Structures are given as C-alpha cells and as structure tokens.
Amino acid sequence: MRTPRVALLLAVLLATAPATAGAGDAPPIASFPRSAGAPPRAPLAFAVQDDSEFLSHPERLQRTMAELHALGFTHVRLSAHWDQLTRTPHSRRRPRFAAASPGGYEQWKWIALDRAVRAASDHGLQVMVDVAFFAPLWATSGDAAGEPRPRNRVDPRAFADFAVAVAQRYSGRFAPSPSGPSALPRIETLTLWNEPNLAVFWGPQRRVLPGGRIALDSPHAYRRLATRAYAAVKRNRPELRVLVGGLASGPAWAPTARRAGIPALRFLREMACVDAALRPLRTPDCRDFSPVPGDGLAVHPYVLGHAPDFRPRGDRADTLTMGNLDTLSALLRALVERGRIAPALQDVYLTEFGYLTDSPTLDGRGLRNAFPKVGLDAQATFETRAHELAWDHPQVRMFAHFLVRDTLCADDSGPECIDWPSGLRFADGTSKPVEAALEASLYRHPRRDGDVDLWGRLGSDLWRRRGILEYELDGQWQPVRADQVRRFAGGGADGIFEVRVRGLSTSEFRINVR
C-alpha cells in the first residue's frame, strides 16, 4: 500500500552519463523480469493537441510531428472547425449542398486540416478529430446577428451531416482532387463536440422555467445531438471509434445560476436522466429518454493551481479532476448497470490536460489569463504524477497534453482571446522542463516496510532500450540490479513501468542512459 506522502525525483539526463561503479553490470529497465501475477494493463495512449501549431504553421509541421513521435506520443488530436470548413457560415440561410459528403465542401478550406492529418500519419501518429466548435450561423438559433462564435441551440441534423462528412473524408478512400495527392489517410477516432458543459462552447447551459426555477438545458440538448450524430456516423463507418462528451472539469455547482456552466459529473448524471441517487428523472427533457450512445467518454480533468491528486469537495464535488477519476469510473459503471449509457462509455479518454505556467510576453504586456499558474518545475512534476494517475485507472485508455507551444494573443486580438501557456515549449519554441521530462520521468513512493515503489515513463526508443534505473549510495550512483527488484510491471509499448525496489526507501533514484 502506498503511503499518502510521496516524493518526486525527475531525472532527465539527455546525454550519456559518465560510468559509475558497477557500470558493466547495469541492466536496462526493459530487461527486468515481469512479476508473476502482476495485473495486466493495456498500453496507455498518449495524445497531444495544438490546433494553432498543427493547423497554422506548415513550415515546421513535419519537424514537429517527428519530434512528438520521438517523445513517445501516439496520437494527435485535431479540430475540424465546422464554421471554418462549411459553406456560407455567416449566413442565416442554410446553403444547398451535399453536407454529408466530403465532396460537397469547398476543398480549399480543408487544406490545413488535410495537411496536418497527412503529416501525423507520415510520422506514425494516429489521428483523432474533434467534430467541433463553432457552428455556422445557419445551424443555430437564438444567436445575435454577427455572433462571432455561434453555438446556441445547434441543429442536431446539420451537425450529424458534418460529422459524417468528416468521417468519410478521413476514411482512407477520399482524395480532395483527382489530380492531387493520393487519398487522405484513415482516422480511427472522432469526438463529438468540445466541452458542451461550458457556456463558451455551448448555449444555452440553463433555462428559466415559469416561476423562476432553473432547468439544465445543455446536457439534454447535447444528448440529442450526440445520439443523432453517433448513429449517422456508425451507419457510414461502423468501425470508427466515436467518443462523446469532451467534458471540461466544470465550475463549482451553482443551482440558482442562470448562465453558468455545469460541473462534469453533474452534467453526466443529467445527460443520463438520473438524479444524485441515480434514480430516473421524470422531467419533460427525459420523457423520451434512450441510453446515451458512444464508444468512449472524452474528458478534460484540469486541476489548475493544484497538485494532480487534488480531490474537490463541497460545491466542487461534481467537478472532475485527476484526483477523483475513481468517482467518475464508479459513476460510469453504475450508469451502465442501470441501462442509462452504452457499456463502451466506461472507457475514459483524457483528451486534454495541462498546467499553465508563467510565460515570456510580447512587448512587455501581461498575460491575458487569470487562471492559476504553476512554476516550470512544478509543471513537469505535476504532469508526471497526472500521467501516473491515468495509468493507475484501468478504465482510462488515453492521457493527453495540451499544448505543444504556449499560445499568446496578438496585440490586436479581440477580448475573446486569452493566452494559454500550458505548452511543452514557450511561444518562441524554447523547451520547458516538462518537455525534457517526457524523455524520462520517475515518481517515487517510499513504503513503510523499507521498500520503495517507483513509477516511470520512458519516452523515446533510445531511453526505452537503454534506460537504466539508478540509486544514490554514499554519494555515488549505482545501478539497480535485478535481484534488488521485488516486483516489476509494465514495460510495454507505452514506455510505462512500475517497480518495487527492496530496502531503499530513503534513497534517491534516477533514470540514466549509457
């Protein structure tokens, strides 16, 4: 059993270290024998998203994809921005075109997304696409004229057509031009929308009933949209994995608020038409309820300003964080048992995560972001611990980082733009410590019996083949021998391992390459 208090040692040695005593007997971590009876764990996919980097910087796209693959990323998450890719997005009048066919669109609008899909595929990265914000004005209702981000009462039928067009475009069979490059690569995963539990991406979140009572609107509207889009996509590509949710952690629960977003766990219960005790709701929104479909649930369990283990309580108990993934897993299992959601929705995909840091600014201006920040070393430490927490939950299939580079608003950006400095690199491309931690990272859990549990991740092929676990003894670094290992698990395609070392609970550890 792990002790509540943990200590972290990130040892990232990007050059071969000098030989130490016993160097000739240093076994690589990959050679440690797997322990009998160690619980099996499927490899944990590792995704990265950065639409700004992937869609707007073709001059460095190939290099960036190669670097990400070398760090151990397996997936790239891209957004198919509906309002940017469709026809006449600023018109109230619905255009007449084959909206469910990739050939019905103006092909030049898709160049950036097509290029990013090809580049990721070229470098061995699997692509997942968010069929995402924002909507064309003609597919919404209630938005003010000139609304720059239409998202109010999105038409489920129109969205389903667009989702099918995206699925078909990246089916491995569609070529944008008969005279151009070959067919676009095949993708295996779609996500339906992004953070529908936040007002910035979906409206309305709530509505006022006669008498002033507040009803939740977005969970039911999103369920209807996801149900229609899921069925349409599956009719066309039954093998495609379709994720629902894309849920943000969410704000504190505010029952009388008229416009606030909805915490993720509350949103899930409402979408499944159950109350806090998981009893079926009998409200008008749930009158024609059918189980929520999906091949997995996508969530964004940010813990801004807190260590990953932070467990929200009180009016934040329904906010989803890395620290209460067990609560999410238990809720999903219970909803499946009650027939409220599809069984596959027990699989959880953490498709967005990161910590904001202070960042160099442009021309001395301050950051346009009031969210909590952490130091650069803390970002690396917390990201490693969050990765471990994801791996500790068998229902979690993917962990993700957001972004590659910090995004900073241009001086002439409108008020809706905010800086988001959660990148592996600063905006100028300079690496942060968190990028180095992807090469080799280690988390240390001393035990009361004198042993120590270590969780680690090796990023590149070099570190996975030649990474050596070392401990400090009398000021010298010594390799951990196989006979000092009490238990070893992992060591698979994701580069993740767990090891229990005998009698060294007070020692410091690092990973080295020789």
Side-chain angles (χ1 to χ4, degrees):
M1 192 72 171
R2 287 175 179 160
T3 57
R5 297 180 61 82
V6 296
L8 173 69
L9 172 65
L10 280 175
V12 186
L13 308 179
L14 298 182
T16 302
T20 56
D25 301 323
I29 294 168
S31 71
F32 287 151
R34 275 54 172 178
S35 301
R41 175 64 160 98
L44 183 65
F46 191 23
V48 59
Q49 183 182 20
D50 191 334
D51 284 341
S52 175
E53 180 72 9
F54 298 147
L55 302 180
S56 302
H57 291 281
E59 74 282 0
R60 57 181 184 245
L61 183 59
Q62 290 288 336
R63 183 178 74 250
T64 298
M65 293 296 185
E67 291 167 348
L68 293 172
H69 181 264
L71 289 171
F73 285 101
T74 59
H75 289 69
V76 168
R77 178 181 173 223
L78 299 167
S79 297
H81 294 279
W82 189 10
D83 60 333
Q84 296 176 24
L85 299 173
T86 193
R87 292 181 177 270
T88 62
H90 305 297
S91 173
R92 277 285 184 196
R93 184 187 297 272
R94 185 188 299 267
R96 292 186 178 182
F97 73 112
S101 169
Y105 292 77
E106 298 161 292
Q107 299 304 307
W108 62 271
K109 291 185 175 181
W110 295 72
I111 289 174
L113 183 57
D114 290 348
R115 182 173 51 223
V117 170
R118 288 190 190 276
S121 181
D122 288 346
H123 292 282
L125 293 160
Q126 298 184 52
V127 177
M128 53 193 305
V129 174
D130 282 5
V131 186
F133 59 94
F134 291 94
L137 195 59
W138 49 261
T140 66
S141 61
D143 290 298
E147 166 62 61
R149 294 178 167 181
R151 57 196 177 272
N152 201 59
R153 302 208 180 282
V154 178
D155 180 353
R157 180 174 65 85
F159 178 78
D161 285 345
F162 180 63
V164 169
V166 174
Q168 294 285 36
R169 186 177 194 88
Y170 304 113
S171 64
R173 299 186 298 270
F174 179 78
S177 170
S179 60
S182 58
L184 291 161
R186 178 189 184 92
I187 67 168
E188 303 297 333
T189 306
L190 284 185
T191 305
L192 303 178
W193 209 260
N194 175 74
E195 300 187 348
N197 59 323
L198 295 186
V200 68
F201 295 115
W202 187 280
Q205 289 290 310
R206 310 177 187 217
R207 66 182 187 274
V208 182
L209 301 177
R213 189 169 65 88
I214 306 297
L216 301 185
D217 193 282
S218 57
H220 306 288
Y222 177 75
R223 181 183 66 248
R224 291 188 286 270
L225 176 136
T227 297
R228 182 152 193 159
Y230 180 86
V233 169
K234 285 294 192 175
R235 283 195 298 270
N236 286 269
R237 286 192 59 189
E239 84 290 355
L240 190 64
R241 180 187 296 114
V242 181
L243 307 181
V244 302
L247 298 178
S249 298
W253 172 239
T256 60
R258 297 190 173 207
R259 293 183 177 84
I262 302 168
L265 300 180
R266 177 62 188 258
F267 187 98
L268 274 173
R269 293 197 302 270
E270 191 80 15
M271 185 169 65
C273 282
V274 297
D275 63 14
L278 306 188
R279 295 171 300 210
L281 295 173
R282 306 299 181 189
T283 60
D285 285 314
C286 295
R287 187 169 295 142
D288 298 321
F289 174 80
S290 60
V292 181
D295 302 323
L297 179 73
V299 294
H300 306 160
Y302 283 100
V303 206
L304 298 180
H306 295 280
D309 307 79
F310 171 72
R311 198 174 185 92
R313 304 189 185 280
D315 62 358
R316 290 193 171 273
D318 280 337
T319 297
L320 179 63
T321 70
M322 296 298 302
N324 63 356
L325 286 176
D326 57 339
T327 302
L328 172 66
S329 297
L331 173 59
L332 294 175
R333 290 194 298 270
L335 293 175
V336 168
E337 290 170 1
R338 288 161 173 77
R340 311 305 289 184
I341 63 174
L345 289 182
Q346 293 177 98
D347 290 343
V348 177
Y349 294 77
L350 311 182
T351 54
E352 192 171 314
F353 186 78
Y355 280 92
L356 304 175
T357 67
D358 290 323
S359 179
T361 58
L362 300 175
D363 299 325
R365 73 162 174 82
L367 284 172
R368 296 185 186 179
N369 190 312
F371 290 111
K373 317 293 189 302
V374 300
L376 295 176
D377 289 337
Q379 182 194 29
T381 299
F382 289 168
E383 183 104 4
T384 299
R385 175 59 177 149
H387 208 145
E388 180 186 13
L389 288 171
W391 198 80
D392 281 346
H393 287 80
Q395 285 177 239
V396 175
R397 307 297 186 187
M398 174 180 286
F399 179 72
H401 178 81
F402 185 87
L403 306 148
V404 177
R405 292 192 185 211
D406 292 352
T407 59
L408 299 176
C409 300
D411 289 338
D412 58 353
S413 299
E416 72 278 358
C417 183
I418 62 171
D419 301 318
W420 200 263
S422 68
L424 302 172
R425 303 167 183 170
F426 293 111
D428 65 0
T430 305
S431 293
K432 298 180 183 179
V434 67
E435 181 176 7
L438 296 183
E439 287 280 10
S441 53
L442 196 64
Y443 213 97
R444 173 176 170 270
H445 301 268
R447 293 169 52 87
R448 293 189 179 94
D449 61 7
D451 291 350
V452 60
D453 284 336
L454 302 168
W455 182 93
R457 179 186 175 275
L458 305 172
S460 67
D461 288 340
L462 170 67
W463 286 82
R464 293 182 188 187
R465 285 186 288 104
R466 296 176 54 190
I468 293 168
L469 185 62
E470 297 180 337
Y471 67 98
E472 190 176 23
L473 178 65
D474 298 329
Q476 298 291 318
W477 287 100
Q478 307 287 338
V480 173
R481 304 183 309 273
D483 61 3
Q484 292 174 290
V485 175
R486 190 182 297 276
R487 178 183 177 277
F488 183 81
D494 54 12
I496 294 172
F497 65 90
E498 284 187 317
V499 60
R500 180 169 297 170
V501 182
R502 301 174 189 271
L504 294 175
S505 63
T506 60
S507 297
E508 298 296 336
F509 289 82
R510 72 181 186 183
I511 302 172
N512 197 0
V513 164
R514 298 186 185 153

